[in-house]
Amino acid sequence: MPPFKDEHVLIIAPGSAITQTQLGLPETFTPPRWRFPTRMFPGLKDGEWEPVFVREKVKVKEQINGHVNGTTAEPKDVEMIDGAQPRPETNGQTTSDHETKMENLPSDSTGAVQPAEPQPDTTMAEDEETEYYDDPYTSANAVYPLQSGRIENWPCFFALLSHIYQMISPPFHMPVLVVSQPCWTARDKETITQYFFESWKIPALCIMDSALAAAWGFGVQSACVIDVGQDKCDVTAITDYVVNEIGRGVAIEGCGGSALTARLREEFEKQRERYEGIEDLNELAEQVKRNAICEILPAGVPLPGQAPEVVQQPAPNPLAAASTGSEAPPNPSEVVPKAAQNGEASKVGTTEEEENEGVLDVASIVARSDAAELLAKREREKAEREAKKKGGAVEAPKQNRLRNSDKHTASFTFEDYPAPTLDHSDTSTRSRKRKREVEVGPERFLLATSSAESSDNVLERIASAVHGTIMAVPDISARSALWDNLIVVGNGSKVRGFTNALVETLSARYTLSPSNTTIFTSEIPSTFSTPVPTGGTNTPIPGQASSAQHHTGSGVNPLLVAATKNMMQPGQHLQVPGQLQQQHLHGGYTPLGAMDQMQHQSYRGMSQSPTSMKTVKAPEYFPEWKDPSVAGMEEANFLGAQVAAKVVFIVDQGISKGFLTRSEYNELGPEGIHSCAM
């Protein structure tokens, strides 16, 4: 088989809403060149599919004097009948033809018959003709073959692939890489393999998981990939470039972009008078969600016009509070300055402030999630101090310079198409967009909040799925690396602030505070127990055993036990009840088989509850993927597919068994796709 070339590689990534396609691998990987809507329309005949909706229009032809709408039409044949026609009788008398014609002629006042003026023949005949035309502006009667990632309509899906093949006009010697959805079964992959080899006659095929492709795009070997799609969310744990199928969150309903749109529409329904004149509120919510005025605010940030006291603060993590033994942090509004406690008035512009005016604690600022807001606040305070020194008033901030989160209302351009009318001859209204300026209130910040019908929101459901997926990874020592390598992809996560809000939700629910890690007794080289809150009865005495042990039997503070749950400490082994019984029967001796099992189950570190969470930094050597107006790293699975296609088809050339060839397909059949490494 001849080697493949970069310009011949075809990549297809089917999705529920958009199918991304690109023919050829450029020198620097770029966003997908083709984006086809994942939908088809029923054709005029049964079993046929069209990429656009085909409308039917009946055109009426008017035949006047042998001419049809300005075009000459053939005159109708005249039927000739032999023999004389019977004449109409009047009172039993037969009139001649000459008399009948004379009677029909008009006469003047003297009774003289005047010749009539010749009248044109206005005989009209109607003939109907059916015309068909494409309507690319409507989605009526559209059939979507993929529902929540699953292929529900195979004929429609194959028609879509055939349409893509005709549009891109690929060469004959063309290898294909298909980015598969996590919910595709083995039978689905076999059916797709059979279609490509038998219909397209391709020389090689590779099917790659979308989560693994995202990890390739970010250049990490272990990560937790959170793919937020249109109607669902997929959560996948990847360790050493291997997908963990155990505990994988596949096609989680109610966690996609449509759920955010539906939540935003609920808020628009409550403010119906504001959006009077807009018929389709769902389309309005979809366009607002994609606009920059829509944003998910961080926890604790009030809505514009809302008092900070009524903002719901995030619930403190009981695990973090128990791990440090500290109480809940005080409310910032209740903290009294030290100067006010001593009865001293606060002074503005003191010598100490002037000396420390340009000094910033960089480490503490970078560690905060609101670093940009803190720096902006420092700049405003500095401007206020300078204005007071000069004796001038501080200028009020201008409306156009306010941040989006500080604006009570924001405007954007709403675009829609007029509804099709009964007059099919008027095609100008269907091809013309209607644009209008729409003012949106604070409800644009509430798309990720809980609704009245449900107690949780999209972020909480995704956070719960992420925690369950990582906790189900068999290799317990790899879980901490998954928490530190979170990847959020999918077009449903393009909303401003979505990734930061998701990480904040995960941290608030599952993160332990790592500020004090020496409080665990397993790290202290002694047999003394940690004092429990029982009045000091467990105070250790040198040379004596502890007089009181709590119900856990380990002499550990119960608050720490509640914080760590099943967390094992460094050097501590996990034992099952059967092994403990064997130790008791053999006088404390553990058999060799049980010891091997214990060593296999032993692990180190804080693996049950994470101490930190962070997302993977996007690679900087793909400049085309840095422009958010074209494409962002939310489509990193397609970037990883390009990297994998370069490695598998061009560099490796099949040495590592990364794709299925034509000869292997002829020998193994569609089941041979499972033998590929990808």
Side-chain angles (χ1 to χ4, degrees):
M1 183 176 62
F4 301 114
K5 297 182 180 180
D6 292 346
E7 58 269 18
H8 294 166
V9 177
L10 177 64
I11 302 176
I12 301 178
S16 300
I18 297 296
T19 298
Q20 303 170 351
T21 308
Q22 179 167 317
L23 178 61
L25 299 176
E27 295 182 1
T28 59
F29 298 137
T30 60
R33 190 172 305 171
W34 298 83
R35 286 183 172 87
F36 296 93
T38 310
R39 67 184 185 189
M40 296 295 287
F41 297 86
L44 300 178
K45 299 180 180 179
D46 295 339
E48 293 184 354
W49 300 90
E50 297 292 340
V52 294
F53 183 64
V54 178
R55 291 189 179 273
E56 178 180 343
K57 182 176 66 173
V58 178
K59 186 176 181 181
V60 179
K61 293 184 177 181
E62 296 181 355
Q63 179 176 339
I64 304 176
N65 295 334
H67 297 275
V68 179
N69 292 337
T71 59
T72 304
E74 297 181 359
K76 294 183 178 181
D77 296 336
V78 179
E79 183 179 2
M80 303 298 295
I81 301 178
D82 297 334
Q85 297 292 336
R87 298 171 180 173
E89 298 181 358
T90 304
N91 296 329
Q93 297 180 359
T94 303
T95 58
S96 62
D97 295 341
H98 179 72
E99 293 176 351
T100 303
K101 294 180 180 180
M102 294 298 293
E103 292 177 356
N104 295 332
L105 293 177
S107 59
D108 55 2
S109 57
T110 59
V113 177
Q114 300 293 334
E117 297 180 357
Q119 299 293 332
D121 186 8
T122 58
T123 304
M124 299 176 60
E126 295 184 356
D127 187 14
E128 295 182 353
E129 181 182 356
T130 303
E131 292 184 355
Y132 301 95
Y133 63 94
D134 297 340
D135 188 357
Y137 305 101
T138 183
S139 59
N141 300 331
V143 177
Y144 295 87
L146 271 69
Q147 299 292 336
S148 298
R150 299 182 177 89
I151 303 177
E152 301 291 346
N153 193 326
W154 284 101
C156 182
F157 181 67
F158 290 151
L160 174 65
L161 295 178
S162 178
H163 170 65
I164 294 175
Y165 186 87
Q166 296 174 3
M167 292 295 295
I168 61 179
S169 299
F172 180 76
H173 193 67
M174 173 193 63
V176 178
L177 188 146
V178 180
V179 181
S180 66
Q181 295 291 329
C183 57
W184 288 5
T185 62
R187 179 57 182 167
D188 295 341
K189 297 178 181 179
E190 294 173 5
T191 305
I192 293 175
T193 302
Q194 181 179 2
Y195 172 79
F196 277 107
F197 276 105
E198 296 184 3
S199 298
W200 289 19
K201 311 297 181 181
I202 60 175
L205 175 66
C206 174
I207 298 181
M208 186 178 188
D209 193 275
S210 61
L212 185 60
W216 279 64
F218 277 86
V220 292
Q221 61 181 3
S222 297
C224 180
V225 181
I226 307 168
D227 190 351
V228 185
Q230 182 184 21
D231 301 321
K232 49 85 179 179
C233 176
D234 299 317
V235 182
T236 308
I238 299 176
T239 55
D240 295 332
Y241 295 111
V242 177
V243 177
N244 293 272
E245 299 292 344
I246 301 177
R248 186 179 189 182
V250 177
I252 305 173
E253 299 292 339
C255 298
S258 59
L260 300 176
T261 304
R263 180 68 185 94
L264 196 58
R265 180 180 178 178
E266 292 180 6
E267 296 298 328
F268 289 162
E269 291 286 354
K270 299 177 183 178
Q271 305 290 335
R272 197 64 178 87
E273 64 279 357
R274 182 193 294 271
Y275 309 105
E276 185 178 0
I278 300 178
E279 300 177 358
D280 192 355
L281 288 181
N282 191 73
E283 180 65 23
L284 174 64
E286 183 68 24
Q287 294 190 22
V288 170
K289 184 187 69 174
R290 298 180 180 181
N291 199 276
I293 65 174
C294 184
E295 183 180 0
I296 300 178
L297 300 180
V301 177
L303 295 177
Q306 185 178 6
E309 288 77 12
V310 299
V311 178
Q312 296 181 358
Q313 299 292 338
N317 187 0
L319 304 181
S323 64
T324 57
S326 61
E327 299 178 355
N331 191 353
S333 61
E334 299 177 358
V335 177
V336 181
K338 185 178 295 184
Q341 295 177 0
N342 299 333
E344 299 178 0
S346 58
K347 299 180 181 180
V348 181
T350 58
T351 307
E352 184 179 357
E353 292 181 354
E354 292 177 357
E355 293 177 357
N356 300 332
E357 185 175 345
V359 180
L360 296 176
D361 190 357
V362 179
S364 61
I365 292 178
V366 173
R368 297 174 60 127
S369 60
D370 56 346
E373 299 177 2
L374 181 60
L375 293 176
K377 182 179 179 181
R378 293 281 185 93
E379 292 294 333
R380 289 195 301 269
E381 293 177 353
K382 182 179 178 181
E384 291 177 1
R385 287 195 298 267
E386 293 180 355
K388 289 182 179 180
K389 289 179 182 179
K390 296 180 181 180
V394 181
E395 296 181 359
K398 298 181 180 180
Q399 181 68 18
N400 56 359
R401 297 180 59 182
L402 291 177
R403 295 176 303 175
N404 181 49
S405 58
D406 297 334
K407 297 179 181 179
H408 187 269
T409 59
S411 300
F412 85 107
T413 304
F414 174 65
E415 299 179 355
D416 64 338
Y417 296 95
T421 59
L422 297 178
D423 186 10
H424 297 282
S425 61
D426 185 12
T427 59
S428 60
T429 57
R430 288 189 298 270
S431 61
R432 183 177 65 250
K433 290 183 179 180
R434 293 189 305 184
K435 298 182 179 181
R436 70 183 80 175
E437 291 293 326
V438 178
E439 193 176 62
V440 186
E443 55 270 11
R444 66 187 187 274
F445 302 115
L446 303 177
L447 73 167
T449 57
S450 303
S451 60
E453 292 77 10
S454 60
S455 58
D456 57 350
N457 52 43
V458 174
L459 298 177
E460 293 177 354
R461 288 192 289 267
I462 296 177
S464 178
V466 171
H467 181 263
T469 300
I470 296 180
M471 289 297 103
V473 174
D475 188 3
I476 304 177
S477 60
R479 296 177 183 176
S480 59
L482 298 178
W483 287 113
D484 291 336
N485 292 279
L486 299 176
I487 297 178
V488 183
V489 295
N491 290 327
S493 63
K494 283 188 175 182
V495 182
R496 291 180 57 187
F498 183 89
T499 303
N500 296 335
L502 179 58
V503 174
E504 287 182 0
T505 304
L506 287 168
S507 301
R509 297 184 63 175
Y510 305 111
T511 303
L512 284 177
S513 175
S515 59
N516 189 1
T517 58
T518 61
I519 61 176
F520 300 99
T521 58
S522 60
E523 299 179 3
I524 303 176
S526 65
T527 59
F528 301 142
S529 62
T530 303
V532 295
T534 56
T537 59
N538 278 30
T539 303
I541 302 176
Q544 297 183 10
S546 179
S547 59
Q549 299 290 339
H550 55 83
H551 65 280
T552 58
S554 59
V556 184
N557 191 327
L559 297 178
L560 304 182
V561 177
T564 58
K565 294 183 179 180
N566 298 326
M567 183 176 61
M568 301 299 296
Q569 304 305 325
Q572 196 172 4
H573 296 279
L574 179 65
Q575 297 178 348
V576 296
Q579 295 173 349
L580 297 178
Q581 185 178 5
Q582 291 179 1
Q583 291 183 9
H584 178 71
L585 294 176
H586 293 79
Y589 173 74
T590 305
L592 182 61
M595 179 63 71
D596 295 340
Q597 185 178 3
M598 289 168 57
Q599 291 179 356
H600 177 70
Q601 293 179 350
S602 63
Y603 53 95
R604 301 174 59 87
M606 303 175 185
S607 56
Q608 294 293 328
S609 299
T611 58
S612 64
M613 295 179 186
K614 56 185 177 181
T615 57
V616 180
K617 185 179 179 181
E620 299 180 354
Y621 38 82
F622 297 113
E624 288 80 2
W625 290 84
K626 295 182 179 180
D627 188 3
S629 61
V630 179
M633 290 306 294
E634 291 83 6
E635 299 178 353
N637 52 0
F638 196 86
L639 173 61
Q642 296 181 65
V643 177
K646 181 74 173 182
V647 174
V648 172
F649 292 126
I650 308 302
V651 179
D652 188 72
Q653 290 288 338
I655 299 177
S656 301
K657 192 67 175 177
F659 56 86
L660 184 67
T661 62
R662 161 66 65 174
S663 59
E664 293 173 346
Y665 174 79
N666 295 334
E667 179 181 357
L668 302 175
E671 294 81 2
I673 193 64
H674 304 304
S675 62
C676 299
M678 301 300 291

